[in-house]
Amino acid sequence: MQEKSWEIKEIPTWVSQKEASALPSSCAPDGKRPAGSYNMARTKHSEENPMLTVRPAAMSDLDAMTDIEAQSFPPEEKATRESFEARMKVFPECFMLLCEDGRPVGLIDGMVTNDATISDPMFENASLHDPKGAWQSIFGFCVLPEMRGRGAAPLLMRAFIEKARAEGRRGLILTCKERLIHYYEQFGFVNMGVSASEHGGAVWYDMTLEF
């Protein structure tokens, strides 16, 4: 019997731009993907706002990512354009953008590691990324001020969690300030206590979501 094929109508949510250009013209449905490929899922859309989508980031998005970051974190904590560029050269598949009508309005990124918590050297040394690592870290998770309180950010976080699960990770890790512990708990993260990280001179808490 001839095997049925499925045409790719849209670029999968968590496929990088480089990988997307190499995608075959057909793929198997969820749960039956070819070995070594990502789960072929459609770009994520918000049911409340169909103009909101989540897609992979590209080098051409560096300026937009830098602007989103600058509007979300104080100078001592934000990632610079140079930092984003260095990370994108090593782990571009670990960047996702939230877009409204095609315009980037949110960002999430982080390297993959075997360490169960985030340490400060990870923020500056992209070579610490281990594509075979157990944990997907989250360095930054932010949306533009005008998008806050509109239910947009959860769409981005859930897509990133789904990506990590599909890749067979053990879970995700992040650090946050005390006032945001409850916010991340709604996604399934557990407070592991005060972090050893002193990034930006702040007090952080380790948060872990284990599948």
Side-chain angles (χ1 to χ4, degrees):
M1 173 183 270
Q2 184 176 5
E3 183 177 339
K4 182 179 180 181
S5 64
W6 287 262
E7 182 181 0
I8 298 176
K9 300 294 185 181
E10 301 176 59
I11 294 176
T13 303
W14 49 78
V15 176
S16 68
Q17 295 298 325
K18 181 178 180 181
E19 291 169 320
S21 65
L23 284 173
S25 60
S26 63
C27 66
D30 294 359
K32 299 180 181 179
R33 60 188 185 278
S37 68
Y38 287 114
N39 189 13
M40 298 293 110
R42 292 180 181 275
T43 300
K44 302 301 179 187
H45 295 262
S46 168
E47 294 181 0
E48 294 78 13
N49 185 348
M51 302 307 292
L52 287 177
T53 58
V54 175
R55 67 166 175 83
M59 279 294 187
S60 58
D61 295 310
L62 282 175
D63 288 338
M65 292 191 295
T66 303
D67 180 59
I68 295 169
E69 183 89 354
Q71 294 193 53
S72 303
F73 295 101
E76 63 273 15
E77 296 175 13
K78 70 178 183 179
T80 63
R81 189 183 193 281
E82 291 71 26
S83 294
F84 281 140
E85 183 174 12
R87 295 175 190 176
M88 283 286 291
K89 288 179 178 179
V90 179
F91 47 92
E93 70 280 4
C94 295
F95 279 75
M96 281 186 171
L97 294 180
L98 175 70
C99 299
E100 183 177 45
D101 197 19
R103 179 178 70 101
V105 295
L107 164 71
I108 191 168
D109 77 288
M111 67 171 57
V112 176
T113 177
N114 271 316
D115 294 345
T117 57
I118 292 175
S119 60
D120 288 344
M122 292 180 182
F123 292 107
E124 302 301 329
N125 189 352
S127 67
L128 294 175
H129 170 69
D130 180 358
K132 297 181 179 179
W135 300 96
Q136 172 65 64
S137 71
I138 297 177
F139 290 164
F141 170 51
C142 50
V143 297
L144 291 175
E146 66 263 28
M147 301 302 297
R148 295 168 194 167
R150 295 172 51 186
L155 177 68
L156 184 58
M157 174 61 80
R158 291 183 183 117
F160 207 58
I161 292 172
E162 184 180 346
K163 172 185 179 296
R165 190 192 305 274
E167 291 174 341
R169 307 299 178 196
R170 183 173 175 183
L172 297 92
I173 55 175
L174 60 82
T175 57
C176 72
K177 294 178 179 176
E178 186 175 15
R179 61 184 174 82
L180 291 174
I181 290 175
H182 178 69
Y183 176 78
Y184 288 108
E185 286 177 337
Q186 70 177 316
F187 296 106
F189 285 88
V190 176
N191 177 14
M192 308 302 287
V194 176
S195 174
S197 172
E198 299 178 341
H199 180 65
V203 175
W204 303 92
Y205 287 77
D206 289 318
M207 304 291 291
T208 301
L209 189 167
E210 186 170 0
F211 298 135

